[in-house]
Amino acid sequence: MFYRITRLFLFKFSPERAHAFTIKFLKFFSRTWLDFFYRQELPNRPVECMGINFRNPVGLAAGWDKNGECIEAFDAMGFGFIEVGTVTPRPQFGSEKPRIFRLLKANGIINRMGFNSVGVDHFVENIKNSKFNCVLGINIGKNKDTPIEEAAKDYLFCMEKVYEHADYITINISSPNTANLCSLQYGENLDQFLSSLKLKQNELSEAHGKYVPLALKISPDLNNEQIAQVSQLLIKNNIDAVIATNTSLDRSLVRGMKHSNEAGGLSGRPIQYRSTDIVRCLHKELDGKCQIIGVGGIDSCVSAREKLIMGASLIQIYSGFVYHGPKLLREIVENL
Ligand SMILES: Cc1cc2nc3c(=O)[nH]c(=O)nc-3n(C[C@H](O)[C@H](O)[C@H](O)COP(=O)(O)O)c2cc1C
């Protein structure tokens, strides 16, 4: 009820303004008695994944809290884990505004944010100043002006900076809004890229006396043959988890709707079916050798369960959270 009214208010503004307002509100109310507006006591649904214990399997997907500013608030809502980022080595503005669009009829969103980020140093300060109890994933990316041939350098740089603050690290090579980024998902490029990340992980794990698992985030626009190839390389390079999926360039399910022609990645209900099918495909190919985190279009307890039944150990929400608020998290966790 409370979120329905809040949504009426928020949806009067452009998506980016509404988002900025929400971040300000959450930051301001955190650690005060006013957090009762969103604080929820949820039942424990413990799960183990990548060697980490989660209080429940439902996480906040990357991109909501790009700069790690509201971790306490999401912790108070009861998320089992929060993935902050994508963070880039240096600060960058991202794409020109407007760059987020609501597809109300489809419960979808198109975004072309382009990795707006305060940069990894400021980001790490934000994390250090946060107090929270849930698992923290840190999602890393590359700067726009780093040539794609040198992309690995940006990821290795961010890995070093965030390693000691993360419970797991996500490697985002599937955003459609950074030129050529998705080319890292294929063949020899991917193999070399993953092996350099794995080397760095071994090095950092020795230096810090702590093993931080790596998760690769992939696109829903890969076909089944490409999923099979990615799976082989995940196994070969001993990557701990795969996150399926990011946003999609496919518009077949939203054609003709307002904003459907905007450039960017589509998320929300229109990608639900494809991302669940990718989870199924990964489950078959990976044979338990790499964990799966399912994300894409989850907007109910049923769609959450589908991802888990198809082989995901954990799930994440983004667009569903925009449309339904913290009550969606409650509904899923209570009914698991
Ligand atoms: C406005 C917006 C910004 C996003 N930013 C990021 C990001 O920075 N990094 C990332 O890995 N995914 C990002 N995503 C993708 C989400 O994490 C998620 O993978 C995708 O939206 C599918 O989930 P959903 O259908 O529940 O929204 C973003 C999504 C949206 C809508």
Side-chain angles (χ1 to χ4, degrees):
M1 180 64 182
F2 176 68
Y3 188 71
R4 241 187 258 168
I5 297 165
T6 310
R7 198 184 105 161
L8 270 179
F9 168 74
L10 289 175
F11 277 28
K12 290 210 180 306
F13 298 93
S14 74
E16 187 146 3
R17 279 200 144 201
H19 189 84
F21 174 81
T22 310
I23 297 244
K24 277 210 177 107
F25 166 88
L26 293 176
K27 260 169 92 171
F28 185 73
F29 280 21
S30 276
R31 293 194 224 170
T32 73
W33 63 273
L34 289 165
D35 76 352
F36 77 86
F37 276 115
Y38 50 79
R39 180 172 285 282
Q40 310 189 101
E41 295 307 323
L42 302 184
N44 258 350
R45 300 275 186 256
V47 230
E48 201 246 82
C49 179
M50 307 180 277
I52 307 169
N53 295 315
F54 294 75
R55 62 187 177 197
N56 69 62
V58 189
L60 180 71
W64 221 105
D65 189 3
K66 283 183 188 274
N67 298 320
E69 295 170 285
C70 311
I71 306 176
E72 279 108 336
F74 294 117
D75 184 29
M77 283 178 211
F79 278 102
F81 62 112
I82 298 162
E83 192 171 307
V84 286
T86 297
V87 61
T88 55
R90 285 166 285 115
Q92 61 178 31
F93 178 78
S95 316
E96 288 293 303
K97 295 179 187 178
R99 50 192 183 177
I100 318 181
F101 306 88
R102 300 185 190 103
L103 277 75
L104 292 171
K105 280 195 178 151
N107 274 19
I109 296 174
I110 289 178
N111 93 83
R112 49 169 182 267
M113 299 297 283
F115 289 170
N116 52 314
S117 170
V118 293
V120 72
D121 289 328
H122 187 159
F123 175 92
V124 164
E125 284 310 307
N126 288 347
I127 307 286
K128 283 196 204 156
N129 292 328
S130 309
K131 289 198 177 67
F132 53 93
N133 288 318
C134 64
V135 171
L136 187 74
I138 299 185
N139 181 309
I140 60 176
K142 74 177 255 313
N143 277 114
K144 183 183 173 185
D145 58 4
T146 303
I148 198 68
E149 304 74 37
E150 291 169 28
K153 277 193 200 154
D154 276 14
Y155 287 89
L156 299 176
F157 180 82
C158 284
M159 254 179 97
E160 266 189 30
K161 294 271 182 174
V162 305
Y163 193 87
E164 61 173 306
H165 308 286
D167 291 309
Y168 72 90
I169 296 175
T170 299
I171 311 299
N172 181 9
I173 50 168
S174 48
S175 165
N177 302 315
T178 296
N180 298 325
L181 188 70
C182 291
S183 65
L184 292 173
Q185 294 179 114
Y186 309 111
E188 187 62 19
N189 279 352
L190 181 62
D191 197 13
Q192 277 178 11
F193 180 64
L194 292 181
S195 84
S196 66
L197 296 171
K198 197 65 200 176
L199 260 176
K200 178 59 85 181
Q201 182 195 34
N202 288 336
E203 201 181 283
L204 291 169
S205 146
E206 267 192 25
H208 292 277
K210 165 188 171 190
Y211 180 82
V212 177
L214 291 182
L216 184 76
K217 186 159 179 180
I218 62 168
S219 160
D221 300 330
L222 296 176
N223 62 34
N224 289 3
E225 200 181 305
Q226 290 165 333
I227 299 283
Q229 283 167 7
V230 170
S231 302
Q232 290 316 310
L233 295 176
L234 287 168
I235 296 172
K236 180 179 166 202
N237 288 288
N238 259 318
I239 302 300
D240 304 272
V242 55
I243 305 189
T245 65
N246 213 312
T247 56
S248 174
L249 291 173
D250 181 26
R251 298 290 191 270
S252 51
L253 295 179
V254 294
R255 209 160 280 147
M257 288 183 197
K258 192 172 175 194
H259 299 309
S260 63
N261 288 331
E262 292 292 346
L266 174 66
S267 59
R269 193 175 296 156
I271 68 161
Q272 186 186 99
Y273 177 81
R274 181 59 192 150
S275 66
T276 306
D277 199 49
I278 288 185
V279 169
R280 182 193 61 77
C281 206
L282 284 168
H283 184 59
K284 187 174 122 230
E285 298 290 341
L286 291 169
D287 199 22
K289 296 183 182 104
C290 171
Q291 307 280 305
I292 303 167
I293 302 175
V295 50
I298 295 175
D299 59 0
S300 66
C301 183
V302 172
S303 48
R305 267 207 201 154
E306 271 171 3
K307 294 255 195 303
L308 295 168
I309 289 170
M310 288 300 167
S313 302
L314 302 168
I315 51 175
Q316 296 178 321
I317 56 176
Y318 189 125
S319 305
F321 186 67
V322 171
Y323 280 94
H324 304 287
K327 147 178 147 288
L328 174 63
L329 168 67
R330 165 183 287 280
E331 199 181 289
I332 298 173
V333 174
E334 282 182 347
N335 291 294
L336 279 177

